[in-house]
Amino acid sequence: MTAATSLDAAGERIEGRFREVGVTGHLYAADIDTGREIAVRGDALVVLASVFKVPLLVTLHRLAAAGAFDLAEAVTLPPEGRTSGPTGISAMLDEVRMSLRDLSALMITVSDNAAGDVLYARVGPAAVNAAMDELGLHRTRVVADGRELHDALLRDAGVADFGDLWERLDEPGLLPSLRVLDPERTNRSTPREIARLLASIWRDEAAPADACAQMRRLFGLQVWPHRLSSGFPFDDVRVSGKTGTLPTIRNEVGVVEYPDGGRYAVAVFTRSLGTGAVMPEVDAAIGTTARMAVEALRS
């Protein structure tokens, strides 16, 4: 069996796994050092959800390196007016004072929406998209922060809160009306471009080397073990990543590093047919398909 045939066969197995759990899956994985790759709809436009915080983080570090601001600068976040969310500052009740650098840590490690939106306001979407263009990622576009995504989701659904939203998701015609689920109208990219962005961080190309090292550290500290990491339950394999979640959308992108020096950028984006808030089989499939892709690249 040739190398190309082997990768094709792996792609078919990955597609089969996506079908088994009832999702449309998009995957791209590449050996960071050789460029060998495997893709399943890897160039299709996808909804980023909280994965948009990856290009935001890169832009933050590029601007700081250019002298636009000091990452040690502290900002105060009063309890009033914070972006809602289940983690980090979003879930806190009192005033918080924190550096831009530490806000970026919360944004990546626990996907804190309030922290991310403070950084988004400081950087701005035009700067993020300009940075992506400079890196050759012309299909990666950030057009909204966490608050805007949240508000658009509730407004389009005509509901007051997420409890009402989950109860209505099965109503005919509702899902197509939600802009945040349409990659043409929300934060978007392709699996290939997001994997390329991660690879550029691991190769010290996305920003100065010390900045890339800081970003790698944050991705390595992400707390969620149920998606990408679940496919690599080995003490000597390091998984660094960033999740993204919206109704019917479950994503994770990251880098898998083996003790022999192998490094693989992986991006998995899924859209489920079901509308459940809890879908562990889909979460697990992200890890399973990532492992299948990496094993194919290593074979």
Side-chain angles (χ1 to χ4, degrees):
M1 181 181 293
T2 67
T5 302
S6 176
L7 291 177
D8 288 342
E12 292 175 2
R13 292 193 297 273
I14 290 167
E15 181 71 281
R17 182 58 183 151
F18 285 143
R19 286 197 299 268
E20 287 174 4
V21 299
V23 301
T24 299
H26 304 77
L27 177 147
Y28 179 86
D31 186 317
I32 289 175
D33 299 299
T34 70
R36 192 173 187 227
E37 62 183 15
I38 181 172
V40 175
R41 289 180 289 276
D43 292 312
L45 208 59
V46 293
V47 173
L48 288 178
S50 279
V51 173
F52 89 86
K53 294 165 184 172
V54 178
L56 175 56
L57 181 72
V58 170
T59 307
L60 178 76
H61 278 277
R62 287 170 67 92
L63 290 175
F69 42 74
D70 183 351
L71 289 176
E73 175 191 340
V75 296
T76 299
L77 285 73
E80 302 83 11
R82 287 181 196 156
T83 303
S84 63
T87 60
I89 297 170
S90 291
M92 296 178 186
L93 300 178
D94 299 317
E95 182 175 280
V96 174
R97 185 169 176 79
M98 188 174 290
S99 70
L100 298 176
R101 188 186 350 261
D102 286 343
L103 288 170
S104 74
L106 287 178
M107 176 180 73
I108 297 300
T109 60
V110 298
S111 203
D112 182 349
N113 291 332
D117 281 5
V118 171
L119 300 176
Y120 182 95
R122 178 59 63 94
V123 169
V128 177
N129 296 328
M132 295 305 99
D133 282 338
E134 291 168 4
L135 292 168
L137 308 176
H138 303 295
R139 301 184 70 197
T140 301
R141 286 293 173 267
V142 172
V143 298
D145 64 8
R147 183 192 303 277
E148 291 167 329
L149 295 176
H150 175 273
D151 291 350
L153 189 55
L154 298 185
R155 185 167 55 252
D156 290 349
V159 298
D161 56 43
F162 267 83
D164 290 340
L165 175 66
W166 288 112
E167 292 181 1
R168 291 195 55 204
L169 282 179
D170 285 330
E171 292 183 6
L174 180 62
L175 287 176
S177 74
L178 303 179
R179 285 169 289 170
V180 300
L181 304 184
D182 179 356
E184 296 286 354
R185 297 189 290 169
T186 190
N187 297 331
R188 56 194 177 268
S189 186
T190 68
R192 182 188 301 271
E193 287 205 355
I194 288 295
R196 285 178 56 196
L197 181 59
L198 289 167
S200 71
I201 296 170
W202 259 253
R203 290 195 299 260
D204 292 338
E205 297 169 354
D210 60 338
C212 286
Q214 291 182 52
M215 289 189 277
R216 291 194 295 270
R217 171 179 170 272
L218 297 185
F219 292 120
L221 294 174
Q222 182 189 227
V223 302
W224 316 121
H226 59 304
R227 291 183 184 167
L228 198 59
S229 293
S230 69
F232 303 89
F234 316 112
D235 289 341
D236 57 353
V237 176
R238 179 178 178 83
V239 179
S240 306
K242 179 70 195 76
T243 60
T245 309
L246 284 169
T248 72
I249 301 289
R250 285 167 173 80
N251 308 327
E252 186 158 2
V253 304
V255 170
V256 182
E257 299 175 270
Y258 279 72
D260 62 5
R263 307 184 297 174
Y264 308 90
V266 185
V268 186
F269 295 83
T270 71
R271 178 78 175 262
S272 65
L273 300 178
T275 57
V278 179
M279 303 185 75
E281 69 281 4
V282 178
D283 293 327
I286 291 174
T288 300
T289 55
R291 187 184 70 247
M292 293 165 70
V294 170
E295 288 179 347
L297 293 174
R298 289 175 61 81
S299 64

Coordinates of all heavy atoms in Angstrom, one line a residue, residues 8-25 27 40-41 281 285 288-289 292:
D8 N -5.6 7.9 2.2 CA -7.0 7.8 1.7 C -7.8 6.9 2.5 O -9.0 7.2 2.9 CB -7.0 7.4 0.3 CG -6.5 8.5 -0.7 OD1 -6.4 9.6 -0.2 OD2 -6.1 8.1 -1.8
A9 N -7.3 5.7 2.9 CA -8.0 4.7 3.7 C -8.3 5.3 5.1 O -9.4 5.1 5.6 CB -7.2 3.4 3.8
A10 N -7.3 6.0 5.6 CA -7.6 6.6 6.9 C -8.7 7.6 6.9 O -9.5 7.7 7.8 CB -6.3 7.2 7.4
G11 N -8.7 8.4 5.8 CA -9.7 9.4 5.6 C -11.1 8.7 5.5 O -12.1 9.3 6.1
E12 N -11.2 7.6 4.9 CA -12.5 6.9 4.8 C -12.9 6.4 6.2 O -14.1 6.4 6.6 CB -12.4 5.7 3.8 CG -12.2 6.2 2.4 CD -12.0 5.0 1.5 OE1 -12.0 3.8 1.9 OE2 -11.8 5.2 0.2
R13 N -11.9 5.9 7.0 CA -12.3 5.5 8.4 C -12.7 6.6 9.2 O -13.6 6.5 10.0 CB -11.1 4.8 9.0 CG -10.7 3.4 8.3 CD -9.7 2.6 9.2 NE -8.5 3.3 9.4 CZ -7.4 3.2 8.5 NH1 -7.6 2.5 7.4 NH2 -6.3 3.8 8.7
I14 N -12.1 7.8 9.1 CA -12.5 9.0 9.8 C -13.9 9.4 9.4 O -14.7 9.7 10.3 CB -11.5 10.1 9.5 CG1 -10.1 9.8 10.2 CG2 -12.0 11.4 10.0 CD1 -9.0 10.7 9.8
E15 N -14.2 9.4 8.1 CA -15.5 9.8 7.7 C -16.5 8.8 8.2 O -17.6 9.2 8.7 CB -15.5 9.7 6.1 CG -16.9 10.1 5.5 CD -17.2 11.6 5.7 OE1 -17.6 12.0 6.8 OE2 -17.1 12.3 4.7
G16 N -16.2 7.5 8.3 CA -17.1 6.5 8.9 C -17.4 6.8 10.3 O -18.5 6.6 10.8
R17 N -16.4 7.2 11.1 CA -16.6 7.5 12.5 C -17.5 8.7 12.7 O -18.4 8.7 13.5 CB -15.2 7.8 13.2 CG -15.3 8.0 14.6 CD -16.0 6.9 15.4 NE -16.1 7.2 16.8 CZ -17.1 6.7 17.6 NH1 -18.0 5.9 17.0 NH2 -17.1 7.0 18.8
F18 N -17.3 9.7 11.8 CA -18.2 10.9 11.9 C -19.6 10.4 11.6 O -20.6 10.9 12.3 CB -17.8 11.9 10.8 CG -16.6 12.7 11.2 CD1 -15.7 13.1 10.2 CD2 -16.3 13.1 12.5 CE1 -14.5 13.9 10.5 CE2 -15.2 13.9 12.8 CZ -14.3 14.3 11.8
R19 N -19.9 9.6 10.7 CA -21.2 9.1 10.4 C -21.8 8.4 11.5 O -23.0 8.5 11.8 CB -21.2 8.3 9.1 CG -21.1 9.1 7.8 CD -21.5 8.2 6.6 NE -20.7 7.0 6.5 CZ -19.5 6.9 5.8 NH1 -19.1 8.0 5.1 NH2 -18.9 5.8 5.7
E20 N -21.0 7.5 12.2 CA -21.5 6.7 13.3 C -22.1 7.6 14.4 O -23.0 7.1 15.1 CB -20.3 5.9 13.8 CG -19.9 4.7 13.0 CD -18.7 4.0 13.5 OE1 -18.2 4.4 14.6 OE2 -18.2 3.1 12.8
V21 N -21.5 8.7 14.7 CA -22.0 9.6 15.8 C -22.9 10.6 15.3 O -23.3 11.5 16.1 CB -20.8 10.2 16.6 CG1 -19.9 9.1 17.2 CG2 -19.9 11.1 15.7
G22 N -23.3 10.6 14.0 CA -24.3 11.6 13.5 C -23.8 13.0 13.4 O -24.6 13.9 13.7
V23 N -22.6 13.2 12.9 CA -22.2 14.6 12.6 C -21.6 14.7 11.2 O -21.2 13.7 10.6 CB -21.0 15.0 13.6 CG1 -21.5 14.9 15.1 CG2 -19.8 14.2 13.4
T24 N -21.6 15.9 10.8 CA -20.8 16.3 9.6 C -19.5 16.8 10.2 O -19.5 17.7 10.9 CB -21.5 17.4 8.8 OG1 -22.7 17.0 8.3 CG2 -20.6 17.8 7.6
G25 N -18.4 16.1 9.8 CA -17.1 16.4 10.4 C -16.2 16.9 9.4 O -16.2 16.6 8.2
L27 N -12.0 17.8 9.1 CA -10.7 17.5 9.8 C -9.6 17.8 8.9 O -9.6 17.5 7.7 CB -10.7 16.0 10.2 CG -9.4 15.5 10.9 CD1 -9.7 14.4 11.9 CD2 -8.4 15.0 9.9
V40 N -10.3 15.7 5.7 CA -11.6 15.3 5.4 C -12.4 16.6 5.3 O -12.6 17.2 6.4 CB -12.2 14.3 6.4 CG1 -13.7 14.1 6.1 CG2 -11.5 13.0 6.4
R41 N -12.7 17.1 4.1 CA -13.3 18.4 4.0 C -12.5 19.5 4.7 O -13.0 20.4 5.3 CB -14.8 18.4 4.5 CG -15.8 17.6 3.6 CD -17.2 17.7 4.2 NE -17.3 16.9 5.4 CZ -17.4 15.5 5.4 NH1 -17.6 14.9 4.3 NH2 -17.5 14.9 6.6
E281 N -20.7 11.2 23.0 CA -20.2 10.4 21.9 C -19.6 11.3 20.8 O -18.6 10.9 20.1 CB -21.3 9.6 21.3 CG -22.4 10.3 20.5 CD -23.4 11.0 21.4 OE1 -23.3 10.9 22.7 OE2 -24.4 11.5 20.9
A285 N -15.6 11.4 19.7 CA -15.3 11.2 18.3 C -14.2 12.2 17.8 O -13.4 11.9 16.9 CB -16.5 11.3 17.4
T288 N -11.1 10.6 18.9 CA -10.9 9.3 18.1 C -10.4 9.7 16.7 O -9.4 9.1 16.2 CB -12.1 8.5 18.0 OG1 -12.5 8.2 19.4 CG2 -11.9 7.2 17.2
T289 N -11.1 10.6 16.0 CA -10.7 10.9 14.6 C -9.3 11.6 14.6 O -8.6 11.4 13.6 CB -11.8 11.8 13.9 OG1 -12.0 12.9 14.7 CG2 -13.1 11.0 13.8
M292 N -6.8 8.9 14.8 CA -6.7 8.1 13.5 C -5.9 8.9 12.5 O -5.1 8.3 11.8 CB -8.2 7.9 13.0 CG -9.0 6.9 13.9 SD -10.8 7.0 13.5 CE -10.8 6.2 11.9

